[in-house]
Amino acid sequence: MPDSSSRQGSSAASKRKDARRNQQTLLDAAAAVFVASGVDAPVREIAAEAGVGMGTIYRHFPTRADLIVAVYRHQVDTCAEAGPALLAAEPTPHTALERWTDLFVDFLVTKHGLAAAMQSDNAGFETLHAYFLDRLVPVCAALLDAAAASGEIRPDIEAYQLMRGIGNLCIGADSDPRYDARRLVALLVAGLRQPQ
């Protein structure tokens, strides 16, 4: 029969797991709202999407900047984890690359509000940018390498350059309803294919 200390330890671990899952749900909801409405979306909209009260959001993230940074890191991690999963699940490496760039575009749309939210925290912004590069450049490189090895795309494409190009295509997407960054990124990725 387990003693009370092991039951308490198990209960504490369960609570931590629930708290992490709740925070992930909140971050997913905030990311969806930021993609749809921008980082200035009302907190009540995020709370409604997450199915929680506004107090829950403020308890986890006392300021909007805290929430934006957490969403940023969460989306970087989500994009990083998606690369290998898409390579395993999609029919071709190029299809995996296409799907990954869709996730990356969603992330970049959210990211554009980050600079304004962190106006006075240059060091914090630089730390996040380094995290972004460290996590995502290798994932993009793996997708490109797999697509090149399969003969679907040219082998001379560098991950950092592609990511910069995608980022540049996403600039202004949130301020001009006639501009479709996702379509232009899809054209860019389609253009990576080997000539037949």
Side-chain angles (χ1 to χ4, degrees):
M1 171 181 240
D3 65 15
S4 65
S5 64
S6 67
R7 282 194 305 267
Q8 289 173 345
S10 174
S11 176
S14 179
K15 285 180 183 178
R16 282 192 303 273
K17 187 176 179 181
D18 286 345
R20 279 192 303 273
R21 185 175 46 248
N22 292 342
Q23 189 167 3
Q24 295 303 312
T25 299
L26 202 153
L27 291 172
D28 287 338
V33 170
F34 288 168
V35 167
S37 305
V39 295
D40 293 326
V43 172
R44 71 180 170 282
E45 192 175 329
I46 296 165
E49 178 75 18
V52 301
M54 288 180 18
T56 300
I57 293 176
Y58 288 121
R59 188 169 42 255
H60 288 285
F61 310 104
T63 68
R64 181 173 293 275
D66 293 335
L67 178 60
I68 292 168
V69 168
V71 168
Y72 179 94
R73 290 181 71 89
H74 176 64
Q75 284 189 296
V76 167
D77 293 340
T78 299
C79 276
E81 294 161 7
L86 288 168
L87 270 176
E90 293 300 323
T92 69
H94 189 269
T95 304
L97 179 63
E98 289 173 325
R99 295 276 316 279
W100 187 81
T101 58
D102 282 344
L103 294 172
F104 188 56
V105 168
D106 284 346
F107 164 71
L108 291 176
V109 170
T110 303
K111 179 181 176 278
H112 285 168
L114 182 67
M118 297 187 68
Q119 291 169 335
S120 63
D121 189 5
N122 246 1
F125 185 81
E126 291 301 319
T127 299
L128 283 175
H129 186 67
Y131 183 74
F132 162 84
L133 293 175
D134 290 347
R135 292 282 281 149
L136 296 184
V137 170
V139 172
C140 184
L143 289 161
L144 288 170
D145 289 347
S150 72
E152 293 180 283
I153 67 170
R154 299 186 343 241
D156 61 344
I157 302 157
E158 291 184 28
Y160 180 77
Q161 290 177 344
L162 177 62
M163 290 170 63
R164 281 293 301 258
I166 292 169
N168 287 338
L169 288 174
C170 290
I171 293 172
D174 55 345
S175 61
D176 185 350
R178 297 172 302 162
Y179 182 72
D180 187 352
R182 188 175 303 281
R183 183 171 188 281
L184 289 176
V185 170
L187 288 171
L188 172 66
V189 174
L192 301 177
R193 285 196 176 274
Q194 282 278 27
Q196 299 297 332

